[in-house]
Amino acid sequence: MADIKDYIAKNKDRFLSELVDLLKIPSISADSNYKDDMLKTAEAVKKKLLEAGCDSAEICETPGHPVVYGEKIFDKDLPTVLVYGHYDVQPPDPLDLWDSPPFEPVIKESEIHPEGAIYARGACDDKGQMFMHVKALEYMTQNDKLPCNVKFMIEGEEEVGSEHLGWFIERNKEKLANDVILISDTGMIAKDTPSITTGLRGLSYMEVEVTGPNRDLHSGLYGGAVANPINILSELIASLTDENNHITIPGFYDKVEELSKEERKKMAEAPYDEEAYKEKIDIGDVHGEAGYSTLERASIRPTLDVNGMWGGYIGEGAKTVLPAKAYAKISMRLVPNQDWEEISQLFKKHLESIAPKSVKVEVTPHHGGYPYVTPIDTIGYRAASKAYEDTFGKTPIPQRSGGSIPIVSLFEQELKSKIILMGFGFDTDAIHSPNEHFGVWNYLKGIETIPGFYKHFTEMSK
Ligand code: BES
Ligand code: MN
Ligand code: MN
């Protein structure tokens, strides 16, 4: 019977090449041109689950992209771990900023990843991290080390808001019944500083359309006398934050949970170097809500950001035009107790109320999701903590993340179990950006650490 370290050493090349194969399929959920590739990826994941030791695996249709489900159940009296992950990826644009094509994975060394990193869209978010669980299962089944039951639910719509996952969960509550949900779709602080994510922000995503005149106008003949929708939209957006970078939407902060002084003090103990932070992303200074640190701004405080804005002439050269339309996509990251549907309504009402008569403003909510925080005194958290201690020789730091996995709070609500977020990516892995990558070290360390969770969770559940 092989020890996990030996098993990894022996199978490392195959673990990498299998992941590379999965990364070659462009499973872009947002783009309907890739529907066939989505299915192809789902088929590949199903096959891998069966190869890794699942007794059964299937592709479950939903009104959107399918969910891949697999399980290995051998004793109903033993605990059941449900692993969640997603096989869909973000669109790779802008393509010209990639050093190598997004769906032709290459392994390259970098300063942060001296053992090499796999460069491809989805390498870290989330194919690489999801696949660590498949390989950990393979190790456990092949070496008689799986101490409990396991179920996998790998979805294809996370990057577009998990629109149909609620539908799927509602119809499959029994099938998905579990004692704990395990997810690797977040990050960790650094190689020598393991961390467990204890919180995620919620999200409210809006689209704004501003309409001025009924056609594009000559900006000389009409300019100055007719409202320019792009100018107006810029003013509206600028007014959404004040001089302290506080969001001005009435009622926005009403339900925001304020952290106690002690909790904030504890947060400030996490290792963090502001100069290095600025240097890595090449900015002159940080920017954010007055009265909060950078770590707080990016985790326990809500935000409002324009994700994209367009309208008018953007072609080559200059065209003098007063455009008829302007658009923006705006997202708000939310923190505990904020309700995304309520925030979406507050945003819509506010924007419509401040719009001048000279234009029409239409606000359409897109997807959203609730924030999540998990306590650290549960069996699940303690089992994860012990698993990291075994492989890192250090107790992991609990850390709230600024990102969102909208389905997580729904899991807790519908399946009544706790969610454990064991992420192995680094913030610098460029998820959603050109040149996304996942460290070979991180990938293998994840495979090494995961079986410990099963072991400790089963032991602690007795
Ligand atoms: N895996 C990320 C979320 C994440 C990354 C959380 C790193 C914490 C640390 C997930 O795939 C993602 O990108 N979520 C989206 C929301 C979704 C509705 C598109 C996000 O956070 O923007
Ligand atoms: Mn993800
Ligand atoms: Mn993502």
Side-chain angles (χ1 to χ4, degrees):
M1 218 157 42
D3 151 83
I4 179 76
K5 276 202 159 134
D6 297 338
Y7 192 79
I8 290 172
K10 240 204 274 142
N11 294 286
K12 175 182 164 186
D13 292 343
R14 181 175 53 84
F15 284 0
L16 285 169
S17 71
E18 286 182 25
L19 175 56
V20 162
D21 286 344
L22 199 61
L23 289 167
K24 284 183 185 164
I25 321 173
S27 46
I28 308 167
S29 50
D31 188 338
S32 55
N33 289 319
Y34 292 88
K35 205 164 176 270
D36 290 350
D37 289 304
M38 290 297 294
L39 201 60
K40 210 171 137 190
T41 313
E43 295 280 2
V45 172
K46 175 186 155 186
K47 188 163 162 253
K48 289 290 161 197
L49 284 173
L50 289 170
E51 282 171 13
C54 279
D55 299 326
S56 64
E58 59 186 307
I59 294 193
C60 309
E61 293 302 328
T62 74
H65 297 300
V67 171
V68 186
Y69 177 83
E71 62 177 32
K72 182 166 183 69
I73 310 280
F74 53 86
D75 184 345
K76 293 224 159 24
D77 292 332
L78 286 172
T80 299
V81 176
L82 173 68
V83 175
Y84 162 86
H86 60 95
Y87 67 84
D88 65 323
V89 303
Q90 286 275 331
D93 326 62
L95 280 174
D96 54 324
L97 294 184
W98 284 78
D99 295 331
S100 53
F103 298 106
E104 293 172 29
V106 290
I107 300 181
K108 266 188 320 195
E109 285 164 26
S110 73
E111 204 180 310
I112 296 175
H113 296 291
E115 291 89 354
I118 314 167
Y119 285 75
R121 170 57 87 231
C124 177
D125 185 10
D126 178 44
K127 282 176 178 164
Q129 296 215 66
M130 173 269 286
F131 207 60
M132 298 180 314
H133 288 270
V134 181
K135 293 298 104 181
L137 175 69
E138 177 194 304
Y139 162 72
M140 291 188 285
T141 56
Q142 304 245 321
N143 295 280
D144 212 9
K145 298 268 188 193
L146 182 65
C148 58
N149 305 309
V150 57
K151 297 176 175 177
F152 276 80
M153 173 190 172
I154 311 298
E155 74 151 318
E157 296 192 313
E158 199 279 338
E159 298 293 8
V160 287
S162 300
E163 207 194 321
H164 303 102
L165 205 61
W167 178 97
F168 180 78
I169 295 171
E170 212 176 284
R171 281 162 183 73
N172 292 282
K173 275 194 187 165
E174 203 138 305
K175 185 184 229 168
L176 299 172
N178 65 79
D179 297 285
V180 70
I181 299 173
L182 184 59
I183 304 178
S184 295
D185 193 23
T186 53
M188 59 182 273
I189 296 176
K191 233 176 171 172
D192 56 357
T193 318
S195 56
I196 298 177
T197 303
T198 52
L200 293 163
R201 285 194 283 195
L203 186 71
S204 156
Y205 203 108
M206 315 293 289
E207 185 154 335
V208 182
E209 178 183 326
V210 178
T211 307
N214 61 3
R215 60 181 167 88
D216 283 9
L217 302 173
H218 189 290
S219 66
L221 295 181
Y222 289 93
V226 174
N228 179 321
I230 301 182
N231 292 28
I232 300 282
L233 181 55
S234 308
E235 282 168 26
L236 292 177
I237 290 170
S239 81
L240 294 176
T241 44
D242 67 14
E243 67 281 7
N244 291 316
N245 292 312
H246 243 76
I247 294 155
T248 57
I249 299 167
F252 184 84
Y253 290 99
D254 283 3
K255 293 187 177 168
V256 168
E257 172 204 73
E258 296 285 343
L259 262 64
S260 67
K261 269 208 184 90
E262 292 76 59
E263 281 175 290
R264 291 182 67 184
K265 221 175 115 200
K266 208 148 184 353
M267 266 192 80
E269 287 168 12
Y272 168 72
D273 176 347
E274 188 132 301
E275 286 313 310
Y277 181 90
K278 292 193 276 189
E279 203 182 303
K280 271 188 202 133
I281 49 173
D282 197 16
I283 53 168
D285 204 356
V286 293
H287 175 95
E289 190 181 355
Y292 295 92
S293 70
T294 298
L295 278 184
E296 290 173 335
R297 288 169 178 169
S299 64
I300 60 161
R301 297 298 297 167
T303 64
L304 184 148
D305 277 294
V306 181
N307 296 258
M309 198 171 163
W310 67 104
Y313 184 69
I314 53 165
E316 199 182 329
K319 175 188 176 188
T320 49
V321 62
L322 195 161
K325 297 260 193 193
Y327 305 84
K329 290 187 193 278
I330 299 175
S331 68
M332 290 163 282
R333 296 278 169 177
L334 310 176
V335 298
N337 301 338
Q338 281 183 298
D339 174 331
W340 74 269
E341 284 175 318
E342 191 180 324
I343 293 291
S344 297
Q345 283 314 311
L346 288 178
F347 178 97
K348 185 172 159 73
K349 229 173 77 194
H350 178 63
L351 219 67
E352 285 168 357
S353 78
I354 60 170
K357 262 211 210 119
S358 53
V359 295
K360 287 190 259 328
V361 171
E362 203 175 319
V363 181
T364 316
H366 281 279
H367 54 69
Y370 290 93
Y372 182 72
V373 267
T374 181
I376 62 170
D377 56 2
T378 62
I379 295 180
Y381 186 91
R382 284 191 285 122
S385 186
K386 274 213 164 307
Y388 282 92
E389 280 168 31
D390 294 346
T391 55
F392 286 78
K394 271 186 182 173
T395 305
I397 297 175
Q399 201 194 33
R400 273 171 67 170
S401 168
S404 310
I405 309 175
I407 209 64
V408 166
S409 68
L410 195 80
F411 276 154
E412 187 174 66
Q413 192 189 313
E414 295 291 319
L415 302 174
K416 311 272 181 269
S417 37
K418 288 281 169 233
I419 293 90
I420 304 301
L421 299 159
M422 292 175 75
F424 291 90
F426 291 155
D427 281 355
T428 49
D429 287 345
I431 61 172
H432 294 206
S433 303
N435 303 314
E436 174 178 353
H437 54 278
F438 189 37
V440 171
W441 178 88
N442 303 62
Y443 177 53
L444 300 177
K445 203 69 182 170
I447 300 172
E448 185 188 334
T449 307
I450 289 163
F453 175 81
Y454 285 75
K455 180 178 136 211
H456 295 299
F457 185 77
T458 307
E459 275 168 12
M460 288 176 181
S461 299
K462 276 178 191 153

